[in-house]
Amino acid sequence: PLPTVGFNHPAMKTMAQQLARYGNPVTNPQAFIKKWIIPWTVPDDIHTAIPCLPFHFDINRDIQIPLEKTYRDLIAAGLHTEIKKWNGCFVIRNQIGSKAISEHSFALAEDQNAKENPLYGKVTWTDDFLNVWRKNLWICGADFHSRKDGMHIEWTAATAW
């Protein structure tokens, strides 16, 4: 069975847990980048199936294995074709409209199909697509109760640590 997903998903890490593990990427970006950020080369099989992904992008070293597994699961299920545009992963910033640190600051989140899934807007992903991410212990902003963010997918598996 799939894990229960929602804003307070039991696998979701608290900001305090993230800061304890990674340090603060906003106040000490150089130390954070040196320790946690890796330049990920998208494997050929994934890039061939999802050509809108860049050939390389920076990610948190903790998500390389689950990200590759999730992309391959989407490909195996034929759901990868829902990804039309990759809109980014690592950027140090606050959440839009908030003083809270964004998951993108930790390079633990990706945005995809932003135009079709805008912040506070309609979510166009199929349930099957979202369930592949959920099964792999990611959470989608489509599951946020107070602030729908359908483009946003973040790694939240407490078991990863």
Side-chain angles (χ1 to χ4, degrees):
L2 297 171
T4 303
V5 178
F7 189 74
N8 293 315
H9 185 284
M12 186 175 285
K13 298 173 191 71
T14 66
M15 184 57 61
Q17 288 172 310
Q18 288 177 316
L19 290 169
R21 177 165 177 79
Y22 300 117
N24 189 323
V26 175
T27 59
N28 196 351
Q30 290 80 16
F32 171 77
I33 290 168
K34 183 177 180 182
K35 185 171 183 181
W36 294 105
I37 298 301
I38 60 170
W40 184 51
T41 299
V42 178
D44 289 340
D45 63 311
I46 294 172
H47 194 268
T48 298
I50 312 172
C52 66
L53 294 176
F55 287 100
H56 310 277
F57 58 96
D58 291 340
I59 62 173
N60 187 304
R61 66 179 61 254
D62 278 351
I63 71 168
Q64 180 177 358
I65 292 169
L67 185 60
E68 289 179 9
K69 181 183 181 318
T70 304
Y71 277 137
R72 287 186 174 116
D73 287 354
L74 287 167
I75 293 164
L79 298 166
H80 62 289
T81 58
E82 292 191 37
I83 302 170
K84 307 294 185 203
K85 182 154 177 64
W86 182 86
N87 300 103
C89 177
F90 177 52
V91 58
I92 296 175
R93 64 173 175 82
N94 288 340
Q95 294 175 7
I96 295 172
S98 172
K99 293 184 179 184
I101 300 171
S102 169
E103 296 298 317
H104 292 282
S105 296
F106 296 97
L108 296 171
E110 282 193 342
D111 287 342
Q112 299 171 348
N113 294 9
K115 185 176 178 183
E116 294 83 4
N117 297 286
L119 180 63
Y120 300 112
K122 182 180 177 184
V123 176
T124 63
W125 304 114
T126 64
D127 286 339
D128 289 340
F129 177 89
L130 292 175
N131 283 338
V132 170
W133 289 96
R134 293 168 180 146
K135 178 186 74 166
N136 285 287
L137 301 177
W138 296 78
I139 189 170
C140 180
D143 297 314
F144 295 169
H145 297 292
S146 62
R147 185 177 183 269
K148 294 283 184 206
D149 190 3
M151 72 183 90
H152 181 86
I153 299 169
E154 67 186 54
W155 174 244
T156 60
T159 57
W161 298 351

